Amino acid sequence: ATTAQVTSWMLGGHSMGGQAASQLADLPSITAIFLHASYPGASLKKLPVLQVLAEHDKLMKAKAWAKGIEKAKALYMPAAAVVHVIAGGNHAGFGFYGPQKFPSADGERTISLAEQQLQVARTTADWLRTLVHAE
């Protein structure tokens, strides 16, 4: 199928990519959003939402951001949102770009990069399957 033939999109992203994805949530073709180490920047209350976080993600837990993150969740996340925390994971472990130092230092992973990415992929795929099978 070409993209022109697709009428339903499940969109997501990591960190700022998740916020960018949430900005498109009101498009009629967007049917679900997943946020990897991210929080919404716009209302997602009408959509299924998966938020995958990591236990040692210091960027998401930074004091300067924490209040804004909690406020965004309260304002923009649906009550039925699925939130999953990767035990032992960190912010940079959602990608393959090395240690995260900016805008602040990340926490240390206590699991391997491969293990964290496998858990993120499985969690996301399992959640997407629940949406596809629900239709």
Side-chain angles (χ1 to χ4, degrees):
T2 66
T3 56
Q5 296 169 311
V6 177
T7 58
S8 175
W9 294 90
M10 296 170 185
L11 187 62
H14 164 59
S15 197
M16 295 303 292
Q19 287 198 324
S22 71
Q23 297 293 328
L24 301 172
D26 61 344
L27 294 174
S29 59
I30 305 299
T31 59
I33 298 279
F34 59 88
L35 306 168
H36 290 169
S38 185
Y39 58 96
S43 181
L44 304 177
K45 291 202 179 260
K46 295 180 182 178
L47 295 173
V49 175
L50 169 67
Q51 184 181 46
V52 183
L53 304 172
E55 178 183 21
H56 301 299
D57 183 341
K58 284 193 176 176
L59 276 75
M60 289 287 288
K61 294 178 183 176
K63 289 181 183 177
W65 293 15
K67 189 171 184 180
I69 291 169
E70 291 307 314
K71 184 177 178 182
K73 282 183 180 182
L75 288 173
Y76 301 143
M77 294 274 279
V82 175
V83 179
H84 179 80
V85 178
I86 303 292
N90 70 357
H91 194 82
F94 285 86
F96 194 70
Y97 53 82
Q100 179 90 29
K101 305 256 187 239
F102 182 83
S104 62
D106 196 3
E108 293 291 325
R109 274 189 328 274
T110 58
I111 59 174
S112 70
L113 177 62
E115 178 60 27
Q116 180 172 344
Q117 292 180 348
L118 179 63
Q119 287 187 43
V120 171
R122 281 186 177 155
T123 299
T124 305
D126 290 348
W127 176 75
L128 289 170
R129 274 189 213 93
T130 67
L131 301 177
V132 171
H133 294 300
E135 292 180 355

